[in-house]
Amino acid sequence: MLSKTYRFHGHNSLNWAYRQATNVRGPMLSLKYALNRKRTNFRVAVVVSRKVSGSAVVRTRIRRRVYGSVEKLADRINASYDLIFSVYSQDLADIPTTELYRLVENLLDQAGVLNKAKD
């Protein structure tokens, strides 16, 4: 699980990120990102609406899986970005982990947040 230092704390910080952010959309989730020069490391939030699934168990599972994918990519994130993943498909709860990792990696790459892959 991603450390608490890399998560949003407080409602106002999330509101600031929503106002400043640029959007990149993928097939099952989207990413809002904004460079935050006041911070030294990145922050991540995963938003899963009740419209995606009525079950809190499924929503939490999706959230944890996306946080896990971001955790694997944490060393490649190159600056202090605020990242907000918005999920709009319940299928993320059941797709293979490698496919979810690729989805998250592609969104971060489209946003220009990632350093080039390590060899």
Side-chain angles (χ1 to χ4, degrees):
M1 195 67 150
L2 196 62
S3 171
K4 286 187 176 184
T5 22
Y6 298 108
R7 297 196 198 179
F8 280 87
H9 299 291
H11 192 66
N12 286 334
S13 59
L14 200 57
N15 283 340
W16 179 87
Y18 267 115
R19 284 193 310 271
Q20 303 298 320
T22 307
N23 195 30
V24 175
R25 189 173 169 105
M28 292 186 219
L29 70 161
S30 65
L31 169 66
K32 288 185 177 286
Y33 63 97
L35 185 61
N36 189 345
R37 298 188 190 279
K38 294 179 183 178
R39 301 194 54 85
T40 57
N41 54 8
F42 67 93
R43 292 188 294 182
V44 179
V46 180
V47 179
V48 185
S49 169
R50 211 178 278 161
K51 291 179 180 179
V52 171
S53 175
S55 170
V57 174
V58 173
R59 292 193 309 268
T60 302
R61 181 172 185 209
I62 292 169
R63 199 173 292 118
R64 286 182 178 175
R65 293 185 79 205
V66 174
Y67 275 128
S69 295
V70 173
E71 183 179 25
K72 290 179 185 176
L73 293 163
D75 58 336
R76 291 180 51 201
I77 296 176
N78 60 17
S80 57
Y81 280 95
D82 286 345
L83 308 169
I84 304 169
F85 288 92
S86 299
V87 176
Y88 49 84
S89 175
Q90 185 177 357
D91 296 337
L92 283 179
D94 299 322
I95 66 170
T97 306
T98 55
E99 189 177 338
L100 176 61
Y101 177 81
R102 264 187 267 121
L103 285 171
V104 171
E105 184 180 32
N106 286 340
L107 285 176
L108 290 171
D109 194 35
Q110 286 177 20
V113 172
L114 291 182
N115 291 328
K116 297 297 176 199
K118 292 187 264 181
D119 293 331

